[in-house]
Amino acid sequence: MSMKDRLVDQAKKLASSGRVVRVVSNDRVMRLATGVMDAKNRLRAAGERAAEAWDILLNGHALPNIDPALDDEAGVHGATPARAASPRPGVGGAGLSTVEETMSSKAPPASARAHVNGVGANGAGTYVAAAAEQQLATQMASRTSLARIGGRDVFEKAYKFMTADNARAMGVYPFFRPLDFNNGPEAQLEGRTVTMLGSNNYLGLTTHPKVREAARNAIDKYGTSMTGSRLVNGSMRLHNELEEKLAAYHGKEAGLVFTTGYQVNIATISALLSNKRSVAMIDKDDHASIYDGVRLAQASGARMVRYKHSDPAALDSALSEIADTEGALVITDGVFSAQGEIASLPGIVEVVKKHKARLLVDDAHALGVIGPGGRGTAAHFGLGKEVDLIGGTFSKSLASIGGWLVGERKVLDYIQHFASSFLFAASAAPPCVAAAMAALDVMQEEPWRQEKLRENFTYMRTELQRLGFELGKTETAVIPIYIRDDLKTVMMWKSLLDDYALYVNPFITPGVPPKQQVLRTSYMATHERKHLDHALEAFEKVGKKFGVI
């Protein structure tokens, strides 16, 4: 090996060490690097914000172009006023926000390009060079918003978005990774078997024989699609049968089946909050689909008010301030998807009743996980009759694709006649509906699955806390491991996957607010103790390597 090769090899090893990562991810170091490298962009952004503020003074508020949930406290009832600080970085786009204009022309060094998308040929992965790692860290830490770039060519911002390309070339890009197949607790990624801690298949029903058989039989009987919306030719008796079962299961008058879970919130919120006398009252940590539903409602004149996360007192204060002529729909996740935390539903229900508002609970991550018979958050607290609307998705415990809503018949009838995103969307496909209906039956026939799921996530929560990891307030099958740094989160994800064949989900900005970066893990009834103990061994070693525990 030549002297040059030895030096490159030493640089790679040094760059991947926990000590170097801790230094380059240190807040003070990152702030200094960001301030030096992003000065030009900060000045331009400040000018743009001033112009935007002046435009708002003249013309009022426009529709938001970023997810307000990512602005941790701004405009939130009950939030503690923040101390004076440097200007908050912007949030933009669906990917990683960066100092794109400063860094866009800089590609990673050749030594970083050999290892693409994570799993290297040598099993442990190829180490990245320190300079490239520092470049990516700076890009992640800056957060200048690409969404603010304007001009004649609306594609300009796309051409300047380089972070994903650079991360792919460096082998640290964690998103959109195609699995060869997913068999539940284990999956195959690029020919390699991995332990799956990144799936929402909570009850392990995607491979259940009855669920698979129901999907096959539906294809044989109905074909692969209805090729139309529910309004015209897209409704089947199969849809109606599942709607009746969901309503009976939740003790509600009626049910409505949607094509996706995301569509449930977009359609419901936009249909019900359709004028200037409507207020969406939402938990600041609600799911993105709720925020998008509110954006559609805002286009019709409704307004949005956010209250402090899972805080009934803050909700009470917010509802006290709406006008007598306004009507409010309070919307909360039942189980918050990033935190695994159960909403403070008893207090929320009390406040909603006090102010004669209405309540929608999104139980996407609660169905099959909590409550008697897996009936979700309202049942968990014995409040099923007190919650006006409960919705969710087929894509988790129900092992399919689609969405559902239960409540009063007249309310659901109104939604299906006035929600454009329901009226003009193709209906849920026959095999998806049949699979979800079979999963609902199995969930009730095999209650051991919910019990085993609870046993598994309780064991993992206890053991991860014993090791010293910060887990927040999780009480469910979603267990976040707080890392609170973008680069360290990605590097730990990479080490877990490359070195221990453990698949987890890294949540970094702008997908979560600053300092809320986590490795999100989720558990299944079909995980065996060998899977969980392997994961604990990997977490302990990687956590120590990167100084998290």
Side-chain angles (χ1 to χ4, degrees):
M1 181 183 291
S2 68
M3 177 65 72
K4 178 181 178 181
D5 290 338
R6 284 197 295 271
L7 289 173
V8 169
D9 185 60
Q10 290 298 317
K12 291 176 182 178
K13 291 179 179 178
L14 178 62
S16 67
S17 69
R19 181 175 297 179
V20 169
V21 171
R22 286 195 293 273
V23 169
V24 300
S25 61
N26 181 276
D27 285 344
R28 286 174 291 181
V29 174
M30 294 312 304
R31 281 197 297 267
L32 177 60
T34 299
V36 171
M37 301 183 72
D38 196 34
K40 178 181 177 181
N41 287 315
R42 285 171 180 264
L43 288 172
R44 184 176 63 252
E48 290 174 352
R49 291 190 184 102
E52 182 179 351
W54 177 249
D55 183 65
I56 289 173
L57 284 173
L58 292 177
N59 303 312
H61 284 275
L63 288 175
N65 64 358
I66 63 170
D67 188 339
L70 305 180
D71 190 356
D72 211 19
E73 302 296 348
V76 178
H77 269 265
T80 304
R83 292 176 297 175
S86 57
R88 180 132 182 194
V91 180
L96 305 172
S97 294
T98 61
V99 190
E100 297 294 346
E101 292 186 60
T102 303
M103 309 297 293
S104 61
S105 62
K106 299 180 180 179
S111 59
R113 296 183 196 133
H115 180 206
V116 178
N117 220 15
V119 182
N122 62 0
T126 303
Y127 291 119
V128 295
E133 187 172 298
Q134 177 64 65
Q135 174 184 324
L136 184 63
T138 303
Q139 290 180 324
M140 294 163 113
S142 59
R143 301 181 190 96
T144 298
S145 175
L146 281 172
R148 295 181 181 275
I149 295 177
R152 293 290 297 175
D153 187 356
V154 297
F155 286 4
E156 182 183 0
K157 60 179 70 70
Y159 299 139
K160 292 184 176 180
F161 175 55
M162 295 298 298
T163 308
D165 285 341
N166 290 345
R168 289 186 189 101
M170 293 166 61
V172 294
Y173 183 70
F175 308 119
F176 302 103
R177 299 173 62 86
L179 296 173
D180 302 327
F181 66 83
N182 184 5
N183 199 30
E186 294 182 351
Q188 189 173 83
L189 175 67
E190 299 173 8
R192 184 184 183 201
T193 298
V194 297
T195 300
M196 174 55 70
L197 297 190
S199 170
N200 298 319
N201 184 18
Y202 295 127
L203 299 179
L205 296 180
T206 57
T207 57
H208 194 286
K210 289 185 177 180
V211 176
R212 285 181 161 179
E213 182 182 11
R216 282 194 296 265
N217 290 342
I219 291 176
D220 291 341
K221 184 174 182 179
Y222 300 104
T224 57
S225 172
M226 296 304 293
T227 65
S229 72
R230 292 290 302 273
L231 177 67
V232 284
N233 67 297
S235 288
M236 302 179 295
R237 292 189 183 277
L238 200 61
H239 288 111
N240 298 137
E241 184 181 352
L242 179 53
E243 288 167 347
E244 291 170 2
K245 285 191 172 186
L246 285 165
Y249 175 70
H250 286 281
K252 295 295 186 183
E253 186 180 7
L256 191 59
V257 165
F258 294 75
T259 311
T260 70
Y262 208 97
Q263 183 194 32
V264 172
N265 286 328
I266 291 176
T268 303
I269 296 168
S270 62
L272 294 176
L273 305 179
S274 56
N275 55 60
K276 294 181 179 179
R277 296 184 300 279
S278 304
V279 181
M281 195 72 61
I282 67 174
D283 187 297
K284 85 173 185 66
D285 286 356
D286 275 347
H287 190 263
S289 60
I290 293 173
Y291 275 95
D292 276 352
V294 173
R295 288 188 182 100
L296 280 179
Q298 286 177 310
S300 298
R303 64 188 184 93
M304 176 181 69
V305 177
R306 299 191 300 154
Y307 63 90
K308 187 178 179 182
H309 173 57
S310 204
D311 188 333
L315 174 61
D316 187 22
S317 173
L319 284 169
S320 297
E321 295 183 10
I322 69 171
D324 292 339
T325 56
E326 292 180 310
L329 177 64
V330 177
I331 313 159
T332 182
D333 288 3
V335 170
F336 290 88
S337 59
Q339 300 101 317
E341 181 183 353
I342 302 173
S344 302
L345 200 60
I348 291 172
V349 166
E350 182 180 352
V351 171
V352 167
K353 298 299 180 184
K354 171 185 173 181
H355 292 278
K356 296 181 173 57
R358 295 293 185 175
L359 177 60
L360 165 62
V361 174
D362 181 344
D363 255 356
H365 291 270
L367 184 74
V369 178
I370 61 173
R375 286 175 174 81
T377 312
H380 174 75
F381 290 108
L383 295 169
K385 294 182 179 179
E386 308 301 319
V387 176
D388 298 297
L389 295 169
I390 304 172
T393 178
F394 296 167
S395 64
K396 296 171 176 58
S397 290
L398 294 183
S400 185
I401 290 291
W404 56 273
L405 183 70
V406 295
E408 292 183 57
R409 185 192 69 81
K410 287 294 290 181
V411 177
L412 269 57
D413 194 39
Y414 178 88
I415 291 169
Q416 75 175 356
H417 282 91
F418 284 85
S420 296
S421 53
F422 180 84
L423 284 168
F424 303 111
S427 65
C432 297
V433 177
M437 186 152 49
L440 183 64
D441 291 340
V442 171
M443 187 164 65
Q444 297 169 81
E445 295 165 0
E446 300 180 5
W448 66 264
R449 290 179 179 272
Q450 189 184 354
E451 296 166 8
K452 181 62 176 178
L453 174 63
R454 184 181 296 108
E455 176 187 319
N456 283 347
F457 70 68
T458 300
Y459 174 72
M460 288 301 293
R461 183 178 66 225
T462 301
E463 292 301 304
L464 287 167
Q465 288 173 333
R466 181 185 62 79
L467 290 173
F469 287 105
E470 180 189 357
L471 307 181
K473 299 179 180 179
T474 178
E475 305 170 73
T476 64
V478 173
I479 300 181
I481 299 174
Y482 282 86
I483 311 301
R484 302 194 185 280
D485 176 87
D486 281 330
L487 178 63
K488 191 178 293 185
T489 301
V490 171
M491 296 305 290
M492 287 183 68
W493 159 82
K494 176 177 167 57
S495 181
L496 288 166
L497 183 60
D498 288 357
D499 301 334
Y500 300 96
L502 185 64
Y503 191 109
V504 301
N505 293 319
F507 281 18
I508 60 176
T509 56
V512 294
K515 292 300 177 186
Q516 298 299 310
Q517 298 90 334
V518 301
L519 293 172
R520 180 187 180 274
T521 68
S522 50
Y523 300 90
M524 309 179 207
T526 47
H527 275 130
E528 300 175 16
R529 187 56 60 92
K530 67 179 182 181
H531 299 124
L532 305 182
D533 287 340
H534 167 68
L536 288 168
E537 178 185 1
F539 283 130
E540 181 176 17
K541 291 180 178 178
V542 174
K544 289 179 178 178
K545 175 182 176 181
F546 289 94
V548 174
I549 57 173

